[in-house]
Amino acid sequence: MIDFRLLKLVPKSVKYIALNLAFQIIGLLCNVLFLLKITTFQESWMYLIVLIVIRMIAHYLSVWMSYLSSAEVKLELRDQLFTKVVSLGKSSEDVLSDSELIQLSGEGIEQLEIYFSNYIPQFFYSVIAPVILFGFVVFKQFLVALVLLICVPLIPVSIIMVQRYAKNLLNKYWGVYTGLGDTFLDSLQGLITLKLFSFDEVKQTELEIESESFRKVTMRVLLMQLNSISVMDLVAYGGAMIAIVVAVYSNLELPAFLFIVLICAEFFIPMRLLGSYFHVAMHGASAADKIFSILDYEEDKIEQFVPSDLSKGYSVENLTYAYPDSTEHALHNLSFNFPMNSFIGIVGKSGSGKSTLVNLLMKHLKSSDISFGQVDLNAVDIYPLVSYVSHDSVVFKGTIRELLGGSDDSVMKEALDKVSLSFSLDYELDYLGANVSGGERQRLALARAFVFDSDFYIFDEVTSAVDYESEAIILSAINDLRNQGKGILMISHRISNVFDCDKIYVLEKGECIAKGSHDHLMDMSPEYNNLVQLQSKYEVAL
């Protein structure tokens, strides 16, 4: 009923749980002493007031410890989850989808907050409280105390009976919930596309079907909870009734009888509360299983280091790659060299394998046929060495200073000047850069790469969604990098962007069909010549 791995995961919360339990026990003792005093009809108002004040303070401190425990849990779990996702990078998608990750880091961890702040302290309190109360009641009437002590464990027995069924049901609940989240997120992100192609009604029907499935599984969860609560109430009220009946036939004195009647509720309240928290805790436990699935996910560990000789840059030897569950090769028998102090271009029609090659070069996909600095790429800490700028680079909310991430204002201003942006470093960007134009977003992404000042740059369709003015500024900035001796790899659908490259590779259906300078390829490669002619006609037509 307690997952000790969760406790080990957040060890700092244990002390708050222990203090929470201690203050609850102090409050219980105050309540028992209060009942003992009032059932003897003794006038000692100051004594009673002191007990009331102590119990109020104990209750306040108990709630405060719950808050500290939950705050520690949320902070630590979100930190661990975020750190793990960052360390896995793109591999995290093999374990959880984006919507699942959002739901776990939000609602899932909120459920675990209740597990730590309420359920665990209540579990231990529910074990200790009946023993303490038994010690008080046994001096009044042994048989009554024995009946109460026997009836109390029937509540956790009923909890255990529904635990296995509840866990399976809640796992199904989370599966349906995250599936609905995936569909909703996809529909929301593609809403404009759905409206443009009149596909929104179909998607709405799909959402309605999944929503109905979620409603049904939610109702099943609630039904299970209500049924188990009814069983617990039956045990609690039935046990109290039996104890009072035994007390009635025990010919007790009035003070002892009144004390037993009043204390019966205290026997069952802790276990009854535990039963209520149990269902919430099961939600948290189900979320914890999914959190563990990503925390436990381990990639093949290869020691990462920076090569001593970076001049060779990338080297690709007989690279062949097929996606999992695919019978066709996305890339076949490719061999490239992308050295430092060179400007390399890669062109090809859609589906020729350009994006797959970039994902392999950036280690988003794995291959043993690529090296960097004459070292197997899998063993190279690539991210300090290579800057990757794509056509959809994310521009985060915050100031431009925060976006660029530099420590020197002059360096950041120089980067903005290179891409012809006059923004102040304190200019506030909206979510995803919504308050700047598409071309400005792309140039901001480029400025961020300049501030990073890596040895090698990969530009993936950086001019595909910008106007001609922004395109000219971007290409000029890239040429400045070339003059600095950086290694540059440019992937582009727009052939004119790679005319000045030292070498151009032409891909078709995952194979390299030609390579050389622009002039060489115009003379020797009909495929490349055809691409150039077709694009020239298209641009003239525009």
Side-chain angles (χ1 to χ4, degrees), residues 429-445:
L429 296 166
D430 288 344
Y431 172 69
L432 295 180
N435 57 336
V436 295
S437 69
E440 288 172 332
R441 278 197 298 272
Q442 193 64 18
R443 283 186 273 164
L444 281 170

Side-chain angles (χ1 to χ4, degrees), residues 57-114:
I57 294 173
H59 176 72
Y60 172 80
L61 292 175
S62 173
V63 173
W64 178 244
M65 291 303 109
S66 291
Y67 165 75
L68 293 177
S69 174
S70 63
E72 184 66 40
V73 166
K74 288 192 287 187
L75 182 65
E76 182 66 23
L77 284 179
R78 287 192 174 116
D79 180 64
Q80 290 190 33
L81 193 59
F82 181 76
T83 302
K84 184 66 176 183
V85 170
V86 169
S87 68
L88 290 176
K90 204 169 180 64
S91 298
S92 63
E93 297 177 0
D94 297 336
V95 190
L96 295 174
S97 66
D98 289 343
S99 64
E100 284 180 311
L101 192 57
I102 292 169
Q103 288 160 341
L104 280 179
S105 59
E107 185 177 345
I109 289 178
E110 290 295 329
Q111 297 285 0
L112 280 172
E113 169 197 347
I114 298 173

Side-chain angles (χ1 to χ4, degrees), residues 120-228:
I120 294 179
Q122 189 65 34
F123 177 85
F124 290 107
Y125 178 69
S126 299
V127 174
I128 296 171
V131 176
I132 294 174
L133 294 173
F134 176 82
F136 282 96
V137 177
V138 75
F139 291 107
K140 301 292 184 179
Q141 221 292 330
F142 174 78
L143 189 57
V144 172
L146 186 63
V147 168
L148 289 171
L149 194 64
I150 291 172
C151 289
V152 165
L154 295 178
I155 293 179
V157 168
S158 65
I159 293 174
I160 293 171
M161 289 174 63
V162 301
Q163 183 176 14
R164 180 175 298 180
Y165 171 73
K167 188 168 185 177
N168 292 335
L169 183 58
L170 288 169
N171 283 335
K172 182 178 180 181
Y173 167 88
W174 271 101
V176 175
Y177 179 48
T178 53
L180 178 61
D182 284 337
T183 304
F184 179 77
L185 184 61
D186 287 344
S187 302
L188 190 63
Q189 291 176 335
L191 187 58
I192 295 176
T193 303
L194 292 173
K195 295 292 287 185
L196 285 172
F197 292 95
S198 301
F199 202 67
D200 51 316
E201 290 187 5
V202 175
K203 211 64 176 174
Q204 180 181 349
T205 303
E206 183 181 338
L207 271 170
E208 288 173 352
I209 293 171
E210 292 194 31
S211 297
E212 179 63 14
S213 298
F214 179 64
R215 184 192 69 81
K216 288 180 178 178
V217 75
T218 302
M219 291 300 104
R220 289 178 63 190
V221 169
L222 292 175
L223 181 63
M224 177 269 297
Q225 292 176 349
L226 290 173
N227 287 338
S228 59

Side-chain angles (χ1 to χ4, degrees), residues 286-306:
S286 297
D289 289 340
K290 290 189 173 291
I291 291 174
F292 287 146
S293 69
I294 192 166
L295 293 180
D296 292 340
Y297 184 78
E298 294 291 342
E299 294 184 295
D300 295 333
K301 293 292 183 181
I302 301 175
E303 185 179 356
Q304 303 286 295
F305 63 95
V306 176

Side-chain angles (χ1 to χ4, degrees), residues 2-18:
I2 287 186
D3 190 336
F4 287 97
R5 183 179 175 185
L6 278 173
L7 288 174
K8 291 179 181 178
L9 202 62
V10 193
K12 292 181 181 178
S13 68
V14 174
K15 65 178 179 181
Y16 298 122
I17 292 171

Side-chain angles (χ1 to χ4, degrees), residues 218-285:
T218 302
M219 291 300 104
R220 289 178 63 190
V221 169
L222 292 175
L223 181 63
M224 177 269 297
Q225 292 176 349
L226 290 173
N227 287 338
S228 59
I229 287 172
S230 299
V231 173
M232 288 186 291
D233 285 342
L234 182 63
V235 172
Y237 294 128
M241 182 189 70
I242 293 171
I244 293 172
V245 169
V246 172
V248 168
Y249 286 98
S250 298
N251 297 320
L252 295 173
E253 295 180 358
L254 182 59
F257 178 76
L258 288 176
F259 175 76
I260 288 174
V261 170
L262 294 174
I263 208 69
C264 279
E266 290 288 347
F267 257 94
F268 293 100
I269 285 175
M271 281 292 179
R272 179 64 183 76
L273 282 175
L274 178 67
S276 299
Y277 293 144
F278 168 77
H279 300 293
V280 179
M282 287 300 295
H283 276 281

